Amino acid sequence: MRYLWSIPSAVIAWFVAGFSATYLKGLPGGTTLFVPPRIDLLVLGGFAGGVLAGLLIARVRAAVPVVLIVAGGMWWLTGNSWSDRSLVITLLVASAVGAFFGALGSRSSVVAAFALALPVAWYAMRPAEQLTEWRWVWQLNGLLIAAGLAVLLYAACWRRGWRSASFWLPLTALYLASFGVVDAVQVISNSSGKPMDAVGDAATEAFFQSFEPLLRGYWPWLVVAVLLAIPMVALKLRALPPPPPPPDAYAHKSNDAVLSDDLDWIDQEEPRRRLLPRRDPVI
């Protein structure tokens, strides 16, 4: 019965989380492509959609085939050419990897937080691409970065509580590295037709240069995100009901089961005593 609603929801989530955001600014030439043939959208969108679809289906053996069928079907409905195998394979691999980690994350909130790091980082920086000349773009980007990190830290402690707080440091490092991955993928997408060595050097440079503005300009927002995640986790743990008491190992046994054999006389009925009539003393 779970698959009756999870699979249709996963199909919609794959498209909404991965590719619907590209329609906000319009597609080139007024086309109506479901999956635009761009390497950055295929990698980032396919992975983001696959993660959300895997979280909904919560089964690796079902999530990966469903996502592969959906990705291939969307590519066919778009009308893109199947001759460009590199783009098709990129979309299928990114979607399958995202679905795999999303399905694993349905059982472990820590894995789910690590899987969502790249999609959250991708969406956190999208307003910067549209509002380059806006006066408050620094505040908006910082707010979105802090909100994304706070949500990831909160999600990591969703099931195990404060025991998962030890993963906050590597999770923050992966979240910051995800911004570099996004920049590197976008550089590769814009460098089509150039030599592979030049594309690789440009992508590597973009990856490492992304850390400087994050650590220099947005470090206060990262501190705010950690300070915000602490009360969020504390309030969640306080709202949870108390844990049930440990089960009694002897609940299914009677009291005689814990008594030794020499104490069986306790449960035996005591014989009724007969009182002798009182006799008058002899004078």
Side-chain angles (χ1 to χ4, degrees):
M1 294 297 294
R2 175 183 176 84
Y3 293 138
L4 294 179
W5 65 266
S6 62
I7 291 180
S9 301
V11 173
I12 298 174
W14 180 86
F15 176 75
V16 171
F19 299 95
S20 65
T22 61
Y23 291 88
L24 296 179
K25 61 178 181 179
L27 293 171
T31 58
T32 57
L33 301 178
F34 288 105
V35 181
R38 289 171 47 187
I39 191 66
D40 56 341
L41 296 179
L42 298 181
V43 173
L44 301 176
F47 182 83
V51 169
L52 192 55
L55 288 173
L56 292 174
I57 298 178
R59 294 291 186 275
V60 176
R61 63 179 180 270
V64 175
V66 167
V67 169
L68 290 178
I69 294 174
V70 172
M74 287 293 181
W75 183 266
W76 175 72
L77 290 175
T78 299
N80 291 319
S81 176
W82 291 94
S83 59
D84 197 350
R85 297 180 179 179
S86 60
L87 295 179
V88 179
I89 294 175
T90 299
L91 174 63
L92 296 180
V93 171
S95 301
V97 172
F100 175 78
F101 285 105
L104 293 181
S106 63
R107 301 183 179 182
S108 174
S109 59
V110 176
V111 178
F114 277 91
L116 290 171
L118 181 59
V120 170
W122 181 43
Y123 276 96
M125 294 302 293
R126 290 188 67 87
E129 301 174 358
Q130 307 296 328
L131 303 172
T132 54
E133 301 297 333
W134 194 42
R135 180 179 180 183
W136 305 102
V137 68
W138 180 84
Q139 289 82 350
L140 177 61
N141 289 337
L143 179 62
L144 294 177
I145 292 173
L149 181 57
V151 170
L152 293 178
L153 299 180
Y154 176 71
C157 298
W158 179 263
R159 290 190 174 181
R160 298 180 58 192
W162 291 117
R163 291 180 295 175
S164 299
S166 58
F167 295 95
W168 281 12
L169 184 59
L171 180 58
T172 304
L174 179 63
Y175 180 64
L176 296 178
S178 298
F179 291 98
V181 173
V182 173
D183 292 344
V185 172
Q186 290 179 347
V187 168
I188 295 175
S189 177
N190 297 328
S191 302
S192 59
K194 297 182 180 179
M196 294 298 298
D197 295 338
V199 175
D201 294 340
T204 304
E205 184 180 0
F207 175 81
F208 288 102
Q209 286 184 353
S210 64
F211 295 101
E212 182 180 358
L214 285 174
L215 298 178
R216 184 186 69 249
Y218 298 114
W219 69 265
W221 294 101
L222 300 178
V223 176
V224 170
V226 176
L227 297 179
L228 180 61
I230 293 175
M232 289 171 62
V233 176
L235 291 175
K236 178 190 179 299
L237 296 179
R238 186 176 181 181
L240 293 177
D248 187 5
Y250 302 100
H252 62 285
K253 298 181 180 179
S254 61
N255 293 333
D256 294 339
V258 295
L259 297 178
S260 59
D261 295 338
D262 57 345
L263 296 178
D264 288 345
W265 59 269
I266 295 179
D267 295 336
Q268 296 179 0
E269 184 178 358
E270 185 179 0
R272 185 177 181 182
R273 298 180 181 181
R274 294 183 179 181
L275 300 178
L276 297 176
R278 181 178 180 182
R279 299 178 61 182
D280 295 334
V282 180
I283 298 177

